[in-house]
Amino acid sequence: MTEQTTQKDQPRPDSEIPAETSQLAHDDPSTRHPEQDAPIQDQPEPGLDVETDPVPDIGLDSYKGLGRLQGRKALITGGDSGIGAAVAIAYAREGADVAIAYLPQEQRDADRVLEAIREAGRTAVALPGDLMDEDYRTSVVDRAAEQLGGLDILVNNAGKQVVSESLEELTDQQVFETFQVNILSMYTLSRAALKHMGPGSTIVNTTSIQAYNPNPMLLDYAATKSAINSFTKGLGQQLAPKGIRVNAVAPGPVWTVLQVSDGQPKEKLPTFGEDTPTGRPGQPVEMAPAYVFLASPESSYVVGETLNANGGTPTP
Ligand code: NAD
Ligand code: MG
């Protein structure tokens, strides 16, 4: 019995794994990405992926496209880093032309993504600006459509997440900014996108596990994510008769600079994501296939859905 337990606990060398199961062994989700060993670290908001330790995996070396979004034209907000960057690279490798929106101070991160889109042989459009700024917010979608020659995918993904210990510490200004970036902008951008979209177009919103399991230190952020779920279900019903589908992705803990730039208490960074059933944080590249699925015709009967990619935490 003891011997058996010992054997089971030892990882088997590849040579001992039958050829037909060897690929599956490499795909074990609990070990698919290396141990994080993330140190305690800080960056001012919004921070840069390229300065994050370890650098989040946005799929530069790993995402392989299958042509599932051939000829599509997509705008992705927050497309410079983290989840949005992984989606931008995946969409380009699936055959889409891609515009990314991001804050001007994120240009270094954006440049990596723009280059990857061009390397995939697709058109890359850079739209730096601040979603707090009304002129930018009300013009960015039209500018994307103009430069892409149309628009049939909008990914509302930009997000602000700053922890605060107590309600007394949380200012109205922060609440307003979090709501403006995370949810209010979705109304403005989605409305503008409808002018360009026809049947077959898709909108994908980024929500969060925080919509269901609100962290007491994220009173503003978590509330925006619940609102995004309701917005998605309502707009999904409104637009389905027009052939436009609206869905959302709800990531769990994903290693991005959002967490490093005051998205988490500092002492939580070294063990971030380890409390999930999978036992580790997700990487941005692991979110991308959900966004590809929801944007592609493969999901033609999926409307108003929130697809959870959270390492196994149960959701309603
Ligand atoms: P990220 O920091 O890489 O991306 C967020 C992006 O939002 C930034 O790159 C920035 O371009 C954009 N943004 C923020 N404020 C802006 C403003 N005022 N104007 C314009 N753009 C602005 O982090 P991420 O984790 O990839 O976040 C992407 C989305 O995923 C967010 O909506 C976030 O809430 C959501 N999310 C993240 C996690 C996680 O664990 N990382 C979990 C669930 C949901
Ligand atoms: Mg960024």
Side-chain angles (χ1 to χ4, degrees), residues 203 205 229-247 302-305:
I203 298 175
N205 300 324
N229 274 348
S230 298
F231 174 67
T232 301
K233 290 191 189 309
L235 189 63
Q237 294 174 76
Q238 196 178 109
L239 298 183
K242 297 183 176 165
I244 300 173
R245 292 182 303 108
V246 187
N247 288 288
V302 181
V303 176
E305 174 64 356

Side-chain angles (χ1 to χ4, degrees), residues 32-33 65 76 100 120 262 286 292:
R32 189 165 179 193
H33 288 273
I76 301 161
I100 58 171
D262 288 342
E286 297 180 281
V292 170

Side-chain angles (χ1 to χ4, degrees), residues 119-132:
E119 274 174 7
R122 309 308 311 183
T123 300
V125 175
L127 296 167
D130 190 337
L131 286 169
M132 295 301 299

